Amino acid sequence: MTTVAAYAAPAAKAPLERTTIERRPVGEHDVLIEIKFAGICHSDIHQAREGWGEAIFPMVPGHEIAGIVTEVGPGVTKFAAGDRVGVGCMVDSCRECENCEAGLEQYCTRGNVGTYNAIGKDGEPTYGGYSTHIVVDEAFTVRIPEGLALDEAAPLLCAGITTYSPLKHWNAGPGKKVAVVGMGGLGHMGVKIAHALGAEVTVLSQSLRKKDDGLKLGADHYYATSDPNTFKELRGSFDLILSTVSAPLDLDTFLSLLKTDGAFVNVGAPEEPVSLNLFSVIGGRKTLAGSGIGGIQETQEMLDFCAEHGFGAEIELISAGEINEAYERVLNSDVRYRFVIDVATI
Amino acid sequence: MTTVAAYAAPAAKAPLERTTIERRPVGEHDVLIEIKFAGICHSDIHQAREGWGEAIFPMVPGHEIAGIVTEVGPGVTKFAAGDRVGVGCMVDSCRECENCEAGLEQYCTRGNVGTYNAIGKDGEPTYGGYSTHIVVDEAFTVRIPEGLALDEAAPLLCAGITTYSPLKHWNAGPGKKVAVVGMGGLGHMGVKIAHALGAEVTVLSQSLRKKDDGLKLGADHYYATSDPNTFKELRGSFDLILSTVSAPLDLDTFLSLLKTDGAFVNVGAPEEPVSLNLFSVIGGRKTLAGSGIGGIQETQEMLDFCAEHGFGAEIELISAGEINEAYERVLNSDVRYRFVIDVATI
């Protein structure tokens, strides 16, 4: 065991504070990663405040991890010390169910092991990326291509893959009209990726406050959802709507923006149930779907895709002491577009 | 104009009574059909009682129509007097939008013209199949193959196509596990069609009351949704769930029965909005979708498919004087499995 520094929430809704945690010894197939950067995801806040149900404390959040391998176990074949690597939302899965076999470890039928707020196969709680080091099985570690800066790469491990996976699955590409709802951490990545995939991209944001940014990142159109004309004008327009917001939406109104056979895909997740009129999907054979992160191989594919297209996330680099303030700013949608912790400051 | 006998609801929620209505002259592309049989669909009741919003009265319901052509307009090429034909839920559409061009007239972007409770292109209300005759454009008339009895064919025009279309669209077939929710007019057709398509079919019905029938019609398994063990045992089982019920369901519970990438498709439509936890679709990348009837060409394909497999609907033939009583029995799920009006009794 190695004692390492971390930032943790000691209890639900308590501010995060500096502490130390134990990391397991480097096993046969493990890599030890010196974490350089960790992104702050909205779901860190949901979990640290128990918005998604009972959680494990103390909690070290962080599942957007970028760093350098400093040691590898004897059975490791994919990585060597000095490699630039990332870890996302999960650090293990059963590896033998049909979903794991299909590269869909995120949907492991026995449940994957979350990077934090979960119990690992060793029976110990997992601790995330707000920490100087982490020990992870190489099977759940991905390579960050040379072309990507580590700080801008960190948010790709959740915000990037969470948007890339459904955009690919629902065929965003040339000739397709794609709307991205929300222009936050996930949304801004959705815009970049959908644009790079060749789709015609529309942002649907509460206001036009971030319009210039949206167009710069690749959006072709930008509308405010606070303006009722938006819904009249865009009725029946989209093949795919990717909703990245965790506030509850008027689903029936958003579904009216889809073409026949269109899909509205949620990657954001409101804490409360939403209301739906089933006629909204019957007329036009529409789909309301969801998607959660992506598999390990797909995460690698996404990182390679972003490197090839020359982009990471848009970030605001902060020190560890600013985490609690950053949480408040995320809740106020006051971040462009992802806070990333400089782990050297922990 | 021709005056013909019909059964109509004079006002919302009023009992249906015998009356007369006017049918338009047989136009260039029209066929005059002597109606032999008309099915009673649950949606007749929804509309006659204004459960789905304001309706047009007097209302002659009926969109499961089987009869014989007795006269054709000079421009008619598909049909001749003596032909056995059917008319379903729509009698016209714009015929030029992208959906009409794609054979998806049911999703006409300008709205199709319903067989009743709608306004036709001539500005007059449409009247449905509880009537001795109807005049319909040949483009919205389909052929009933010789192998199908007209009375058992009538319900195929709505209950058949409403289940056939989504079963085909979501790839029900060999190797697929399909559940049909509800064992009524739509549900019993869903079971027959899904079985004929080669899928492994499970019925999810409130009770086991109709189990023997379900297994006889092609179901491989039959479960009662009133038994909580059903949901434990079948968790993660199905590729496709086709819900034919119009009572509101606990969607989150039913979505838990899907495999990863599975789809829950509604063809039944509750009058009230339903509640949904979006995590139910995010975990396992699940789809909640809807489907409405089918296009004209697909309706013909469905009739040919049923004839080829040697089945129509299971029906209870009634006289016109029994319509009001039949409505009550439909509301009490007391019909095996579709009431069909012998139009000779009007």
Side-chain angles (χ1 to χ4, degrees):
Chain A
M1 304 287 268
T2 314
T3 302
V4 305
Y7 259 72
K13 293 170 190 159
L16 276 72
E17 54 194 36
R18 192 176 188 285
T19 184
T20 58
I21 55 171
E22 301 298 309
R23 294 295 190 187
R24 69 169 183 252
V26 177
E28 177 80 11
H29 299 287
D30 286 340
V31 298
L32 171 63
I33 301 167
E34 183 183 334
I35 300 175
K36 295 294 188 184
F37 300 101
I40 293 179
C41 177
H42 202 143
S43 60
D44 294 347
I45 306 172
H46 282 295
Q47 291 178 81
R49 300 189 176 184
E50 286 196 329
W52 286 348
E54 204 179 334
I56 302 167
F57 293 95
M59 180 189 297
V60 178
H63 56 209
E64 296 185 333
I65 299 171
I68 304 287
V69 174
T70 55
E71 190 185 331
V72 301
V76 168
T77 59
K78 282 169 62 187
F79 300 101
D83 283 356
R84 306 166 81 244
V85 294
V87 176
C89 299
M90 55 190 171
V91 289
D92 213 338
S93 71
C94 84
R95 310 191 195 192
E96 52 188 38
C97 71
E98 62 183 26
N99 288 337
C100 286
E101 298 254 308
L104 296 168
E105 300 89 354
Q106 75 272 35
Y107 305 130
C108 174
T109 58
R110 288 163 202 164
N112 67 57
V113 178
T115 302
Y116 67 88
N117 190 26
I119 301 296
K121 285 183 182 165
D122 58 3
E124 298 295 323
T126 57
Y127 296 117
Y130 297 5
S131 164
T132 58
H133 297 78
I134 190 169
V135 178
V136 182
D137 192 298
E138 66 166 337
F140 285 78
T141 305
V142 288
R143 187 172 300 280
I144 296 179
E146 281 305 324
L148 288 175
L150 286 184
D151 53 355
E152 294 177 356
L156 301 182
L157 277 302
C158 171
I161 187 62
T162 298
T163 49
Y164 179 85
S165 181
L167 287 166
K168 288 283 283 188
H169 186 73
W170 276 277
N171 303 310
K176 293 296 179 72
K177 294 193 177 185
V178 174
V180 176
V181 184
M183 182 64 188
L186 268 66
H188 94 287
M189 285 311 307
V191 170
K192 287 186 177 203
I193 293 169
H195 173 70
L197 287 167
E200 183 179 331
V201 182
T202 299
V203 175
L204 302 173
S205 185
Q206 280 187 293
S207 74
L208 298 179
R209 205 159 47 92
K210 300 175 184 168
K211 181 174 177 179
D212 289 348
D213 284 2
L215 298 178
K216 211 181 301 168
L217 299 183
D220 300 285
H221 317 283
Y222 203 108
Y223 288 85
T225 54
S226 54
D227 179 355
N229 281 326
T230 292
F231 293 96
K232 284 183 199 152
E233 192 179 333
L234 298 178
R235 194 179 162 78
S237 292
F238 301 110
D239 299 287
L240 174 61
I241 301 176
L242 184 67
S243 174
T244 68
V245 304
S246 53
L249 294 178
D250 178 341
L251 285 183
D252 299 307
T253 303
F254 278 88
L255 286 163
S256 75
L257 304 184
L258 289 175
K259 292 185 192 177
T260 296
D261 286 329
F264 181 97
V265 181
N266 293 276
V267 293
E271 296 181 0
E272 300 300 322
V274 294
S275 166
L276 173 70
N277 184 330
L278 288 171
F279 280 103
S280 299
V281 289
I282 292 174
R285 194 164 54 187
K286 293 171 182 173
T287 282
L288 173 68
S291 178
I293 52 173
I296 295 301
Q297 195 184 321
E298 194 179 34
T299 303
Q300 186 62 63
E301 178 189 311
M302 175 276 306
L303 287 168
D304 296 343
F305 176 88
C306 290
E308 195 183 303
H309 287 85
F311 63 78
E314 305 295 306
I315 65 166
E316 293 190 38
L317 201 62
I318 62 168
S319 66
E322 295 171 295
I323 292 172
N324 292 305
E325 186 194 337
Y327 272 23
E328 294 307 316
R329 287 185 53 200
V330 169
L331 293 175
N332 293 322
S333 303
D334 176 24
V335 49
R336 295 192 178 187
Y337 282 86
R338 203 61 150 183
F339 287 117
V340 171
I341 303 163
D342 180 352
V343 171
T345 64
I346 290 182
Chain B
M1 304 286 268
T2 313
T3 303
V4 305
Y7 259 73
K13 292 170 192 160
L16 276 72
E17 54 192 39
R18 192 176 188 283
T19 184
T20 58
I21 54 170
E22 301 296 309
R23 293 296 190 185
R24 69 169 184 254
V26 177
E28 178 79 11
H29 298 286
D30 284 342
V31 298
L32 171 63
I33 302 167
E34 184 183 330
I35 300 175
K36 296 293 189 186
F37 299 101
I40 292 178
C41 177
H42 202 143
S43 61
D44 294 347
I45 307 171
H46 282 295
Q47 290 179 79
R49 301 188 175 184
E50 286 196 329
W52 286 348
E54 205 179 332
I56 302 167
F57 294 95
M59 180 189 296
V60 179
H63 56 209
E64 296 186 334
I65 299 171
I68 305 288
V69 174
T70 55
E71 190 186 332
V72 301
V76 167
T77 59
K78 282 170 60 188
F79 300 102
D83 282 356
R84 306 165 84 242
V85 294
V87 176
C89 299
M90 56 188 168
V91 289
D92 213 337
S93 71
C94 84
R95 310 191 194 191
E96 51 189 38
C97 72
E98 63 183 26
N99 288 339
C100 286
E101 299 252 310
L104 297 167
E105 300 89 353
Q106 76 273 33
Y107 304 130
C108 173
T109 59
R110 289 163 202 160
N112 66 56
V113 178
T115 301
Y116 68 87
N117 191 25
I119 301 295
K121 284 183 181 164
D122 59 3
E124 299 296 324
T126 57
Y127 296 117
Y130 298 6
S131 164
T132 58
H133 296 80
I134 191 169
V135 178
V136 181
D137 192 300
E138 67 166 334
F140 285 78
T141 305
V142 288
R143 186 173 301 279
I144 296 178
E146 281 305 322
L148 288 175
L150 286 185
D151 54 355
E152 293 176 358
L156 301 181
L157 277 303
C158 171
I161 186 62
T162 298
T163 49
Y164 179 84
S165 182
L167 287 167
K168 287 282 283 187
H169 187 72
W170 276 277
N171 304 312
K176 293 296 179 72
K177 295 194 177 186
V178 174
V180 176
V181 184
M183 181 66 186
L186 268 66
H188 94 287
M189 286 310 309
V191 170
K192 287 187 177 204
I193 294 169
H195 172 69
L197 287 167
E200 183 179 332
V201 182
T202 299
V203 175
L204 301 174
S205 187
Q206 280 186 291
S207 75
L208 297 179
R209 203 159 46 92
K210 301 175 184 169
K211 181 173 178 181
D212 289 347
D213 285 1
L215 298 178
K216 211 180 302 169
L217 299 183
D220 301 285
H221 317 283
Y222 203 107
Y223 287 85
T225 55
S226 54
D227 179 354
N229 282 329
T230 292
F231 294 95
K232 282 182 202 151
E233 190 177 334
L234 298 178
R235 193 179 164 80
S237 291
F238 300 109
D239 299 286
L240 174 62
I241 301 175
L242 184 67
S243 173
T244 69
V245 304
S246 54
L249 295 178
D250 179 340
L251 285 182
D252 299 308
T253 303
F254 277 88
L255 286 163
S256 75
L257 304 185
L258 289 174
K259 291 185 193 180
T260 296
D261 285 329
F264 181 97
V265 181
N266 293 275
V267 293
E271 298 180 358
E272 300 299 321
V274 293
S275 167
L276 173 70
N277 184 330
L278 288 171
F279 281 102
S280 300
V281 289
I282 291 173
R285 194 164 55 187
K286 293 172 183 173
T287 282
L288 173 67
S291 178
I293 53 173
I296 296 300
Q297 196 184 320
E298 194 179 35
T299 303
Q300 186 64 62
E301 177 188 312
M302 175 276 305
L303 287 168
D304 296 344
F305 176 88
C306 290
E308 194 183 308
H309 287 84
F311 63 77
E314 304 297 304
I315 65 168
E316 293 191 37
L317 200 62
I318 61 167
S319 66
E322 295 172 295
I323 293 173
N324 292 307
E325 186 195 336
Y327 273 24
E328 294 309 315
R329 288 185 54 198
V330 168
L331 293 175
N332 292 324
S333 303
D334 175 24
V335 50
R336 296 194 179 187
Y337 281 85
R338 202 64 149 180
F339 287 117
V340 171
I341 304 163
D342 179 352
V343 172
T345 63
I346 289 183

